[in-house]
Amino acid sequence: MNATNTTELMHTLGQQALAASRLMARASAATKGRALRRLAALLRESGAPLAAENAKDLERARANGLAEPMVDRLKLTPKVLETCAQGCEQLAAMPDIIGEVSGLKQMPSGIRVGQMRVPIGVFGMIYESRPNVTIEAASLAIKSGNAAILRGGSEAIDSNRALAALVQQALLEAGLPADAVQLVPTTDRAAVGQLIAMPQYVDVIIPRGGKGLIERISAEAKVPVIKHLDGNCHTYVDDPCDLALAVKVTDNAKTQKYSPCNATESLLVARGVAADFLPQIGAIFAAKGVEMRVCAGSRALLAGVAGAKLVDATEQDWFEEYLAPVISIKLVEGVDEAIAHINRYSSHHTDAILTTDHVHAQRFLREVDSASVMVNASTRFADGFEYGLGAEIGISTDKFHARGPVGVEGLTSLKYVVLGEGEVRG
Amino acid sequence: MNATNTTELMHTLGQQALAASRLMARASAATKGRALRRLAALLRESGAPLAAENAKDLERARANGLAEPMVDRLKLTPKVLETCAQGCEQLAAMPDIIGEVSGLKQMPSGIRVGQMRVPIGVFGMIYESRPNVTIEAASLAIKSGNAAILRGGSEAIDSNRALAALVQQALLEAGLPADAVQLVPTTDRAAVGQLIAMPQYVDVIIPRGGKGLIERISAEAKVPVIKHLDGNCHTYVDDPCDLALAVKVTDNAKTQKYSPCNATESLLVARGVAADFLPQIGAIFAAKGVEMRVCAGSRALLAGVAGAKLVDATEQDWFEEYLAPVISIKLVEGVDEAIAHINRYSSHHTDAILTTDHVHAQRFLREVDSASVMVNASTRFADGFEYGLGAEIGISTDKFHARGPVGVEGLTSLKYVVLGEGEVRG
C-alpha cells in the first residue's frame, strides 16, 4: 500500500469513527450492555475459527524466529478468550457513568450549573503483540460510548482481524454502528504516523508498548497522548515500622512478579530500622536470586547475608526500571529524604511507605508526586482491576487528565451544563 | 540578552519554580489564605507606586503609536486594582480543595483506594497586554498550591514587574517561597520558546491571547497546553419555544457585548417558529446596527424588517467568530439539524437551545459536543465567575483535562491513594 493510499485509508477510518462516535455518545446503557454481552458470547462460540486465524500469526512468528516467550504472548488460548469474555460481562454489569450530571448548583443569577460526563469522542490505540488487547480496548470503547481506531502489532494481524470482526458483529446486532470499533487493516507503518496526526477526527492517542514507542509517539502526536512511560516504583521502609509487615510487603512488591510496571525497583530504608530490616529482606532476596545494587551504608549491613549478590549502585541505578530480579537499595535519614529522593528519581508511577507513624504516612501521601501513593501495601496493587475500575486501558504516568490506571472514566470528559429559565447577563 | 543567557535564565526560573512547587503543595489552607489577603492589602496600599510604574508602560505605548483602546487595556486604574484585591479575598474565602480525598472504597483485597486532589505542579502562563492578569494568575497559583512562571506582554512589563514584586512580598510575609510566582523579567521573545519546552520543570502552559498566538504555542509546546481557541457560539431557537423568552435571550446573547468569546455568533432557527421569531429579533438587530449574514430562507422572512442589514451568508460565515455587531442566521428543520450543524461548525465553546420541549432539551445537552451547553439561558453566562468557580485562568475549548472555564480545580490533578494494613498481591 503506498503512502497516498494509507493517508486516504486513515482519513476514511477517521471520518467513519467520528460519525460513529456521535451515535455511540447517545447510545443507552442497555444497548451498550447488549453489545458487550453479545461480544462475550461470540468470543465463547468462536474458539475454533479464532484458533485458525491465530495459528497463522503463530506460524509466521515462529518462521520469523520470534523467541518462544514472545510467541506465547500472541496465543489466543481458550483461557485468554474466556478472560476476555468475562471482562466484557463485567463491564456490562458496571453502572453506566455517561450522562451523569454532578454538582448541579443554583447561581446568584438564577441559572443552575453542573457538569455532565460525556465520552471523549474518538480514541486511537496503538499496541503490540497480545491480541487480547483488541478486546479490552473495544469493550472499553463500547462501555464509555466512544469510538476507537485500533492499531495492533503486525505480528498479531490475523488474530486481530478475526477479533475485530466479532466486535463489529456484536455492535451491529445490538443496533450500534460497526464503525465504533475499527481495526487498521494494514500493517503499513505510515498508518501510525497518520493516526496520531488527525486532530479533526481523533481526540486522544493511547499507546501501549515499550518506552521507545511511547516517546516517539508523544513527540510526534498532534493530539493528546495518555502516556505510560516507565514504572520506577519505590518502597520506603520507615522508622518506625512493623518489621514483619515491612519484610512481607517489600518481598511481595519486588518478587511476586518481576516484569510488571508496578513491581518495586528501588528500596529506601530509614537508618533507624536498617540494621534490623536489611539482613532479613536481604536473605529473602539472596534466596530468590535478586541482585542488590546498594549504597555504601546498606552494603555494610548486607555484607553478612549468605549468598547475597551485592553490586555498588551508580547514580543511574536510582533511575532504573529493571523489570528483572534486580533492586536498588539506599539508606535514608527518614521520611524527608525519602520523599525528596522519590520526587527526584521516581517515574511518578507508584510509590509506597511502610510505616506506623501517622504523620509520616500523611506527609508521604500528600507530598510524593506520583500517580499512586500507598501506605502499608504492595506497589503491585497499582492496577485498574485492583482499584475497582473494572478494566484498564493503560496506566498514565502523566499529571494531565487521567492519572494512574485509566478505565472508563479516563475515556470521558466533563462538560458544563447550564439550565435556565430565560436568564440574561446584566 | 543573548540566546544562551535566555536559555540559562529560563532554566533557572524552572528549577526555582519546581523547588517552590514542592513547598506550595504542602502549604496549609491558612497560610495560602494569609498570602492572598496580604496581597489584597498590598494592592490597596500601593496605588501610587503602581501608578508610577504603569505610567511608564502607558507613555511607551503612546510613543509607539498604540491605539487608545489598546492603551486603555494597559491601565491599572484604582478600580482595576480594587477588583484584583477583591478577587484575592474571594479566593482566600473559598474552601481549599487541595488534599481532599474522594471515593475512598474498600476493595476485595483489603486495601482502601481513593483519589486525592493535588496541585498540578508548575504552570506557565503566557498573556498579552492587561497587567491585571498577573494578579489573577498569581492568586490562582497560590490558592491551588502551584508554582507559576508568568510571561506577560512586553507592553506591560513595568506594571507587571511592580505587581509581581507585591506578589512575592505577600508570599514571603506569609511564610511561602517567593519563587512560587515568578515573572519572566526579560521581554526577549526567545523566552517564550524556552518556557514551553521545559517538561522537566513545567507541567502545563496556559496561553491567553489571540488565536494565532495560541495555535503557535500549541504547535511548538513540549508540554500540555490548556487551549482557548475561538468562541463561535450558537443560539438555537427551537420549535416549540417561548417566543418572548427567545427574543430576550437571543438579544442578550448577541448584543450585550460584542467582544467576549461567549457572545453568540450564529443563530439557528427552527422553521416552525421562524416566521414569528425572525422579524422580532431582526427588528432589534436592525435597531442596534447588527449586520445579519443570512441563508435564503431567513432572508425571505427578514426582508420586511425596516433598516435590516442583510448579507447572503457564505459557507465561511458558519465558522466565523465575528466579535463584532455581525451575526449569521440559518433556518433548520429542527433539533436534529441544529445539533448536526453545531457539531460541525461550532468551536465547541458554548452553545444554547431555547425550547419548551423536554426531550429536545435533553438531547441538546447530551449530544452537542461543546464545553458548555445551555438550555434557556444566554451564552454570555459561560465564565468562571458566573459558574461559581471564583476566578478563571482561561476557558478551555479542549476535551482533555479541563473543559470550559478553568478555575482552581483545573490546575489540580487527582492521584490515587491506597491505604493498606500489610496487604500483598496473591
Side-chain angles (χ1 to χ4, degrees):
Chain A
M1 183 168 282
N2 65 38
T4 313
N5 286 355
T6 300
T7 303
E8 272 174 26
L9 165 73
M10 295 309 294
H11 277 258
T12 303
L13 294 186
Q15 280 163 359
Q16 290 172 175
L18 180 61
S21 74
R22 305 289 185 208
L23 300 172
M24 290 301 287
R26 65 196 227 205
S28 70
T31 304
K32 292 183 284 184
R34 208 155 56 229
L36 288 167
R37 284 189 301 270
R38 186 69 189 113
L39 176 54
L42 286 170
L43 288 167
R44 291 200 178 100
E45 290 164 14
S46 312
L50 285 172
E53 294 304 310
N54 188 230
K56 296 183 194 168
D57 289 331
L58 298 176
E59 195 176 325
R60 203 174 48 243
R62 291 200 179 100
N64 291 341
L66 213 64
E68 204 54 29
M70 294 299 289
V71 175
D72 265 351
R73 301 178 65 183
L74 284 175
K75 282 184 187 159
L76 279 181
T77 63
K79 187 171 165 235
V80 167
L81 290 175
E82 178 56 28
T83 304
C84 285
Q86 284 178 12
C88 292
E89 287 169 342
Q90 280 167 12
L91 271 177
M94 286 176 68
D96 192 336
I97 60 174
I98 298 301
E100 269 184 13
V101 174
S102 55
L104 198 69
K105 286 193 185 72
Q106 179 112 24
M107 295 295 141
S109 63
I111 60 172
R112 284 173 296 151
V113 179
Q115 287 181 295
M116 182 188 284
R117 191 166 292 283
V118 291
I120 211 153
V122 177
F123 69 86
M125 176 111 180
I126 298 161
Y127 52 104
E128 298 169 335
S129 54
R130 295 184 196 276
N132 50 313
V133 175
T134 302
I135 298 299
E136 288 172 25
S139 59
L140 276 165
I142 295 169
K143 182 71 182 186
S144 60
N146 285 289
I149 301 175
L150 308 181
R151 162 63 187 224
S154 56
E155 66 281 14
I157 185 74
D158 288 295
S159 309
N160 284 337
R161 280 192 189 125
L163 291 168
L166 295 184
V167 172
Q168 296 201 324
Q169 184 184 341
L171 284 163
L172 286 172
E173 290 183 13
L176 291 170
D179 290 339
V181 179
Q182 299 175 97
L183 181 78
V184 176
T186 166
T187 57
D188 179 359
R189 301 195 75 177
V192 173
Q194 271 301 320
L195 179 58
I196 66 177
M198 308 194 296
Q200 68 275 41
Y201 304 124
V202 176
D203 294 293
V204 59
I205 291 288
I206 305 166
R208 260 168 75 167
K211 197 176 172 182
L213 171 82
I214 293 169
E215 283 181 338
R216 200 168 63 245
I217 285 173
S218 302
E220 293 169 14
K222 303 287 178 216
V223 297
V225 176
I226 294 183
K227 281 194 281 295
H228 174 187
L229 289 168
D230 41 350
N232 175 21
C233 303
H234 292 72
T235 294
Y236 164 56
V237 178
D238 190 33
D239 176 13
C241 70
D242 176 331
L243 268 185
L245 180 152
V247 170
K248 179 180 71 163
V249 172
T250 304
D251 175 23
N252 183 264
K254 179 65 216 176
T255 74
Q256 195 243 348
K257 279 192 184 175
Y258 296 111
S259 61
C261 56
N262 55 19
T264 284
E265 304 288 10
S266 195
L267 173 62
L268 304 177
V269 184
R271 277 189 202 282
V273 299
D276 291 327
F277 172 74
L278 271 183
Q280 289 188 52
I281 194 74
I284 293 171
F285 287 161
K288 294 187 176 178
V290 177
E291 177 181 312
M292 293 170 257
R293 307 270 176 100
V294 292
C295 68
S298 47
R299 176 180 273 276
L301 295 169
L302 289 162
V305 174
K309 285 197 273 181
L310 302 180
V311 176
D312 288 333
T314 64
E315 172 74 6
Q316 183 54 34
D317 277 304
W318 312 125
F319 288 108
E320 208 65 47
E321 181 186 32
Y322 303 111
L323 302 175
V326 181
I327 190 167
S328 65
I329 303 180
K330 187 177 197 299
L331 299 192
V332 294
E333 287 307 320
V335 71
D336 280 304
E337 191 183 343
I339 292 171
H341 178 96
I342 291 171
N343 281 340
R344 168 138 190 232
Y345 295 100
S346 166
S347 63
H348 310 293
H349 186 299
T350 300
D351 299 291
I353 184 174
L354 311 181
T355 188
T356 54
D357 185 294
H358 174 71
V359 174
H360 291 183
Q362 293 302 316
R363 285 200 48 207
F364 192 92
L365 287 176
R366 180 134 175 191
E367 295 175 32
V368 169
D369 186 25
S370 296
S372 290
V373 284
M374 301 186 167
V375 178
N376 294 336
S378 168
T379 56
R380 290 279 293 111
F381 280 111
D383 81 38
F385 184 76
E386 293 290 341
Y387 285 5
L389 305 182
E392 77 181 24
I393 199 141
I395 297 182
S396 167
T397 51
D398 269 336
K399 289 197 251 185
F400 212 64
H401 192 70
R403 196 172 186 184
V406 179
V408 173
E409 195 173 302
L411 296 172
T412 65
S413 80
L414 290 172
K415 67 181 179 190
Y416 281 98
V417 294
V418 175
L419 305 180
E421 298 176 4
E423 285 81 0
V424 295
R425 266 304 270 278
Chain B
M1 182 169 281
N2 65 36
T4 313
N5 286 353
T6 300
T7 303
E8 273 174 25
L9 166 73
M10 295 309 293
H11 276 257
T12 303
L13 294 185
Q15 280 163 0
Q16 291 172 174
L18 180 61
S21 73
R22 305 289 185 206
L23 300 171
M24 291 300 287
R26 63 196 227 204
S28 71
T31 303
K32 292 183 283 183
R34 209 154 57 229
L36 288 167
R37 285 189 300 271
R38 186 69 190 115
L39 176 55
L42 286 170
L43 288 167
R44 291 198 178 99
E45 290 164 13
S46 311
L50 286 172
E53 294 304 310
N54 188 229
K56 295 181 193 170
D57 288 332
L58 298 176
E59 197 176 320
R60 202 173 48 245
R62 291 198 179 99
N64 290 342
L66 213 65
E68 205 53 32
M70 293 300 288
V71 175
D72 266 351
R73 300 178 65 186
L74 284 175
K75 282 184 188 162
L76 280 181
T77 62
K79 189 171 165 239
V80 168
L81 290 175
E82 178 57 27
T83 304
C84 285
Q86 285 178 13
C88 292
E89 287 168 342
Q90 281 168 11
L91 271 177
M94 285 175 69
D96 193 336
I97 59 173
I98 299 301
E100 269 184 13
V101 174
S102 54
L104 197 67
K105 286 192 185 76
Q106 178 111 26
M107 294 296 140
S109 62
I111 60 171
R112 285 174 295 151
V113 180
Q115 287 181 294
M116 182 188 284
R117 192 167 289 285
V118 291
I120 210 153
V122 176
F123 69 86
M125 174 110 181
I126 299 160
Y127 51 104
E128 296 169 336
S129 55
R130 296 183 196 276
N132 50 313
V133 175
T134 302
I135 298 299
E136 289 173 21
S139 58
L140 277 166
I142 296 169
K143 182 71 182 185
S144 59
N146 285 288
I149 302 175
L150 308 180
R151 162 64 186 225
S154 56
E155 65 282 12
I157 185 75
D158 288 295
S159 309
N160 284 338
R161 280 191 189 126
L163 291 167
L166 295 183
V167 172
Q168 296 201 324
Q169 185 184 339
L171 283 164
L172 286 172
E173 291 183 13
L176 291 169
D179 290 339
V181 179
Q182 299 176 98
L183 181 77
V184 176
T186 167
T187 57
D188 180 0
R189 302 195 76 178
V192 172
Q194 271 299 322
L195 180 58
I196 66 177
M198 308 194 295
Q200 67 274 44
Y201 304 125
V202 176
D203 295 293
V204 57
I205 292 288
I206 306 166
R208 259 169 73 167
K211 195 176 174 181
L213 171 80
I214 292 168
E215 284 180 337
R216 201 169 61 248
I217 285 173
S218 303
E220 292 169 15
K222 303 286 177 215
V223 296
V225 176
I226 293 182
K227 282 193 281 295
H228 175 186
L229 290 167
D230 43 350
N232 175 23
C233 302
H234 293 73
T235 294
Y236 164 57
V237 178
D238 189 35
D239 177 12
C241 70
D242 175 332
L243 266 186
L245 179 153
V247 171
K248 179 181 73 164
V249 172
T250 304
D251 176 24
N252 182 266
K254 179 66 215 175
T255 74
Q256 194 244 350
K257 279 191 182 175
Y258 296 111
S259 61
C261 57
N262 54 20
T264 285
E265 304 288 9
S266 195
L267 173 62
L268 305 178
V269 184
R271 276 189 202 281
V273 300
D276 292 327
F277 172 75
L278 270 183
Q280 289 188 52
I281 195 72
I284 293 172
F285 287 160
K288 294 187 176 178
V290 177
E291 180 181 311
M292 292 169 258
R293 307 271 177 99
V294 293
C295 68
S298 46
R299 176 179 272 276
L301 295 169
L302 288 161
V305 174
K309 286 197 275 182
L310 302 180
V311 176
D312 288 333
T314 64
E315 172 74 4
Q316 183 53 34
D317 277 302
W318 311 125
F319 287 108
E320 207 65 48
E321 181 185 32
Y322 302 112
L323 302 173
V326 180
I327 190 168
S328 64
I329 303 179
K330 187 176 198 301
L331 300 192
V332 293
E333 287 308 318
V335 71
D336 280 304
E337 190 182 344
I339 292 170
H341 178 97
I342 291 170
N343 281 339
R344 167 138 193 230
Y345 294 100
S346 166
S347 63
H348 310 293
H349 186 297
T350 300
D351 300 291
I353 183 174
L354 311 180
T355 188
T356 54
D357 185 293
H358 173 74
V359 174
H360 292 183
Q362 293 302 317
R363 285 201 48 207
F364 192 92
L365 286 176
R366 180 136 178 191
E367 295 175 33
V368 169
D369 184 25
S370 296
S372 290
V373 284
M374 302 185 167
V375 177
N376 295 335
S378 168
T379 56
R380 288 280 292 109
F381 279 112
D383 80 39
F385 184 77
E386 295 290 342
Y387 284 5
L389 306 183
E392 77 180 25
I393 201 143
I395 298 182
S396 166
T397 51
D398 271 337
K399 288 196 249 185
F400 211 63
H401 192 72
R403 194 171 186 184
V406 179
V408 173
E409 195 173 302
L411 297 172
T412 65
S413 79
L414 290 172
K415 68 181 178 190
Y416 281 97
V417 294
V418 174
L419 305 180
E421 298 175 5
E423 285 81 0
V424 294
R425 268 305 272 277

